[in-house]
């Protein structure tokens, strides 16, 4: 597998993102980047982004979590942000992404007692990790995400997004982020989302990810996701559903998760008002506050 690495100068002057990048080598030799905020001995909160964003998406969430005494850790998925980028779309598989994040979180960082926060692909990857390594996690926050098995149809808006990504001669990353936000992104923020991708050859990850979502029962990832569902619904880990009110892509998953997950019972699940698919961008501090309260209440009750 050949990797590309975005030049550091592409990330100069990022707005409201003062966090110094850190790096670790993961399974297969890829270098994954991540940023941290908050005390090193605080309860760890693993913030996983999705398609086609990177850890920059969590900048406002991280600030709130750090203020609350949490150790906020936001990786860049392989193929995104400052992480190494496989040069071919076919080098990206669902299983590889799960393994890459597992390798970073457990082998490199040795995390335990983790609060998972997953949005978009961050949930598709993170929920698999919770199901496959439940002893490493203390609780879960699902934010505009799901765990598709291919047994139920995806919404039409998602199929339109997949077609747009696959058919675009030039993939406009910032435009896709903007389309998933309610607020208007300032130009410096749009440039920050474009920063990881100096040219089309760097975009194999964003190109590949929509095609990796299981949409048929026979998809290669479907059996592992079904097994993960069976584990998750019975685990009993505290499971907070923190969805926005304006996400046509994953919004239908919120009631399913609340009803299905044993650990969701009895919790006060927040609805993040006035936010789209990328709720971290539209309402990052509100989402951060909900996560911090969830962690604080669970820690005090323990």
């Amino acid at each position: 597998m050949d990797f590309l690495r975005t030049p550091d100068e592409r990330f100069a002057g990022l707005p409201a993102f003062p966090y110094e990048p850190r790096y670790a080598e993961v399974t297969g030799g890829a270098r994954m980047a991540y940023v941290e905020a908050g005390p090193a001995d605080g309860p760890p909160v693993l913030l996983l982004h999705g398609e086609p964003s990177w850890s920059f998406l969590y900048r406002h969430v991280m600030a709130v979590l750090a203020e609350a005494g949490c150790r906020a850790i936001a990786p860049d998925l392989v193929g995104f942000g400052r992480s190494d980028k496989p040069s071919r779309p076919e080098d990206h598989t669902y299983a590889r992404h799960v393994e890459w994040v597992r390798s970073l979180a457990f082998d490199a960082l040795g995390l335990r007692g983790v609060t998972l926060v997953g949005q978009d692909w961050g949930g598709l990857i993170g929920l698999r990790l919770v199901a496959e390594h439940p002893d490493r996690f203390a609780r879960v926050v699902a934010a505009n995400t799901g765990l598709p098995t291919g047994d139920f149809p995806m919404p039409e808006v998602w199929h339109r997004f997949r077609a747009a990504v696959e058919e675009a001669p030039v993939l406009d990353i910032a435009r896709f982020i903007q389309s998933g936000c309610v607020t208007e992104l300032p130009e410096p923020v749009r440039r920050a989302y474009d920063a990881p991708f100096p040219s089309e050859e760097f975009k194999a990850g964003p190109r590949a990810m929509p095609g990796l979502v299981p949409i048929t029962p026979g998809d290669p990832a479907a059996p592992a996701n079904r097994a993960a569902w069976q584990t998750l619904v019975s685990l009993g880990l505290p499971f907070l559903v923190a969805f926005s009110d304006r996400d046509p892509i994953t919004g239908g998953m919120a009631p399913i998760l609340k009803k299905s997950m044993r650990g969701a019972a009895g919790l006060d699940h927040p609805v993040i008002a006035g936010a789209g698919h990328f709720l971290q961008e539209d309402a990052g501090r509100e989402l951060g506050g909900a996560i911090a309260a969830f962690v604080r209440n669970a820690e005090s009750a323990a």
Side-chain angles (χ1 to χ4, degrees):
M1 195 182 308
D2 295 324
F3 295 104
L4 303 173
R5 186 167 293 174
T6 303
D8 289 341
E9 56 265 26
R10 292 278 300 182
F11 300 99
L14 297 170
F17 197 67
Y19 312 109
E20 287 295 319
R22 307 179 187 193
Y23 301 95
E25 185 173 308
V26 297
T27 303
R31 188 182 78 163
M32 279 188 76
Y34 64 100
V35 292
E36 287 198 24
D41 61 351
V45 181
L46 184 64
L47 303 161
L48 298 183
H49 71 84
E51 153 86 349
S53 61
W54 60 292
S55 58
F56 176 78
L57 179 68
Y58 278 106
R59 64 197 183 282
H60 303 306
V61 175
M62 291 179 67
V64 174
L65 292 176
E67 292 166 5
C70 296
R71 179 189 176 192
I73 305 157
D76 295 334
L77 298 181
V78 171
F80 298 81
R82 292 184 171 99
S83 290
D84 283 351
K85 298 169 180 64
S87 59
R88 304 179 306 164
E90 56 265 34
D91 289 332
H92 290 267
T93 69
Y94 197 145
R96 278 179 174 164
H97 277 282
V98 172
E99 172 57 21
W100 282 325
V101 177
R102 186 211 63 79
S103 181
L104 174 71
F106 304 152
D107 297 342
L109 299 181
L111 298 179
R112 291 187 178 276
V114 179
T115 297
L116 169 76
V117 178
Q119 184 263 339
D120 191 90
W121 260 102
L124 273 71
I125 294 168
L127 292 175
R128 280 275 299 274
L129 285 177
V130 174
E132 293 166 12
H133 307 275
D135 58 310
R136 294 280 190 160
F137 292 90
R139 61 197 66 87
V140 176
V141 180
N144 290 0
T145 192
L147 189 65
T149 62
D151 299 312
F152 302 96
M154 297 290 285
E156 180 57 32
V157 65
W158 181 86
H159 287 284
R160 292 198 299 269
F161 167 74
R162 175 176 174 172
V165 170
E166 292 176 346
E167 297 168 7
V170 175
L171 198 58
D172 188 338
I173 300 295
R175 185 176 70 83
F176 279 112
I177 298 291
Q178 178 64 82
S179 70
C181 296
V182 172
T183 52
E184 185 71 23
L185 301 183
E187 188 56 35
V189 171
R190 294 176 68 100
R191 288 197 299 269
Y193 284 115
D194 284 331
F197 309 107
S199 65
E200 291 304 299
E201 64 179 335
F202 284 78
K203 299 176 185 177
R207 290 278 189 189
M209 296 303 269
L212 302 183
V213 176
I215 59 172
T216 64
D219 185 278
N225 280 17
R226 288 191 200 101
W229 261 104
Q230 292 175 1
T231 299
L232 289 168
V233 297
S234 61
L235 260 185
L237 283 178
F239 196 109
L240 190 72
V241 180
F243 277 46
S244 68
D245 62 347
R246 301 189 192 180
D247 182 15
I249 299 174
T250 65
M253 282 303 303
I256 295 172
L257 292 171
K258 292 176 188 176
K259 181 179 179 180
S260 301
M261 299 300 165
R262 179 180 156 204
L267 295 181
D268 184 13
H269 300 280
V271 176
I272 310 299
H277 181 63
F278 296 107
L279 72 171
Q280 306 97 316
E281 191 64 57
D282 286 326
R285 292 195 65 86
E286 185 176 351
L287 176 62
I291 298 166
F294 181 48
V295 174
R296 181 171 57 249
N297 293 340
E299 292 275 315
S300 63

